[in-house]
Amino acid sequence: MFRRAARAAAVTGLALLPVWGAVPGEAAQTRAPAVAVAPSPSGGPHLEFDWDRVEVGGRVGVGIAGMPSGWEVVTVTSPALKRPVSLKPKRRGASESTQFPDSKGEDVRGDIAPGTYPVTATSDGRTVATAQLTVTPEAPASISRFVAGPKGGTLGGGESTPEVTVRPGSEIVVLLADGNPGRNEDALTVKSKAFEEPMTIRTESADDPGCKCDDGSTVYAGHTTLRDDVPAGTYSLKVVSHHGKKTSTTQLVVAGEPVTHHRAWLAGGAVGLALVGAGGFALRRRRRRSAARA
């Protein structure tokens, strides 16, 4: 992912600055800079990104290369980034930083408009390099699968589940796969007239059957129980994702006799009543014996 080719593309329009040299008119006794003033063989310090374009609210890997020996810290700032980035040498005497390409990336602000934003690198209070970062609109959702089916059974194939039939009152699993999930969106709400109440599907769910098909999609999954009294028919399931920007629907066919969830409760209740009755009978017998002895 973090290839040199991408780095080269990322720094198109880069403005390299003559830095750390003597300022015209500055007295000879002025304190020397902390690092060498000569540019590196590559032409001087330059910023690098893992991608030449990044989405609003996305992440971008940031690094610097071509630094003279002896540098310690470079701070990178930009109106496009949520916070300054601190870069340090990859190793002692290295000309490039450790943050690139091993960094997971820096957060790009989610409240900015798409466009080109300046990026500035400074060290010891001096600007050492500048670049431009292109920020693109957030990519739309990429829903590859929205399905449901009986818990412990087979979920619908393809993108929807019209061929799956479940009984009223049965437990079902709902799954949605998104190739481009909304940022910081780990849970979604699914609604249907077949449900007692809206249900939640989450990433990293135990209900995820692991059917990602190696496409890299983010999978949301969860389970719920259908209404016992839902009439036979076809019911829509609806989920809104990407912070309200994307609505997805699928269908679920309900048919057959309702699944009864009260049998265990009734059996337990009957046993409990029997025990209570037996206890009351034994208590009455003891009272009668005590009265007869008196």
Side-chain angles (χ1 to χ4, degrees):
M1 173 173 157
F2 304 120
R3 293 187 174 91
R4 290 282 180 179
R7 298 185 188 181
V11 295
T12 302
L14 177 68
L16 296 178
L17 302 180
V19 296
W20 292 320
V23 177
E26 189 172 353
Q29 66 269 24
T30 301
R31 183 177 61 88
V35 297
V37 299
S40 69
S42 62
H46 52 278
L47 285 164
E48 298 178 326
F49 309 123
D50 54 354
W51 300 107
D52 59 338
R53 294 171 180 269
V54 60
E55 294 178 11
V56 171
R59 308 198 75 175
V60 59
V62 181
I64 194 165
M67 290 291 292
S69 62
W71 72 284
E72 295 181 353
V73 179
V74 167
T75 301
V76 179
T77 58
S78 172
L81 298 176
K82 284 187 176 181
R83 61 189 65 86
V85 181
S86 181
L87 304 176
K88 296 182 180 181
K90 186 175 183 179
R91 57 185 176 277
R92 185 178 179 85
S95 63
E96 59 185 4
S97 65
T98 57
Q99 300 296 99
F100 187 93
D102 299 325
S103 172
K104 293 182 179 179
E106 309 301 332
D107 290 322
V108 174
R109 289 170 49 190
D111 59 349
I112 59 175
T116 301
Y117 291 85
V119 185
T120 303
T122 60
S123 181
D124 275 349
R126 297 173 181 264
T127 298
V128 298
T130 63
Q132 301 289 328
L133 179 64
T134 300
V135 180
T136 62
E138 183 180 3
S142 178
I143 309 299
S144 59
R145 199 172 185 219
F146 184 23
V147 294
K151 187 175 182 181
T154 302
L155 297 178
E159 297 180 0
S160 60
T161 58
E163 75 278 11
V164 174
T165 301
V166 294
R167 295 166 58 189
S170 61
E171 279 192 293
I172 66 166
V173 170
V174 179
L175 178 150
L176 181 140
D178 191 344
N180 184 44
R183 63 180 184 273
N184 302 322
E185 195 168 54
D186 300 324
L188 302 172
T189 300
V190 184
K191 297 181 179 180
S192 175
K193 292 182 179 179
F195 300 166
E196 291 284 355
E197 58 187 11
M199 67 169 295
T200 300
I201 55 177
R202 303 179 184 278
T203 58
E204 307 298 331
S205 169
D207 292 308
D208 176 5
C211 53
K212 301 179 184 179
C213 303
D214 296 326
D215 63 357
S217 294
T218 295
V219 174
Y220 299 82
H223 68 273
T224 190
T225 301
L226 298 180
R227 289 167 40 201
D228 290 336
D229 60 348
V230 60
T234 301
Y235 293 84
S236 293
L237 277 61
K238 182 174 75 172
V239 61
V240 178
S241 62
H242 287 249
H243 306 286
K245 297 178 182 179
K246 174 66 176 180
T247 299
S248 304
T249 60
T250 190
Q251 294 182 325
L252 185 67
V253 178
V254 180
E257 291 296 320
V259 175
T260 303
H261 299 287
H262 306 298
R263 291 177 183 172
W265 179 86
L266 290 173
V271 171
L273 289 174
L275 292 174
V276 171
F281 178 74
L283 180 61
R284 287 195 297 272
R285 288 188 62 183
R286 286 197 297 271
R287 287 177 177 175
R288 289 173 184 170
R289 290 175 182 174
S290 298
R293 291 173 182 172

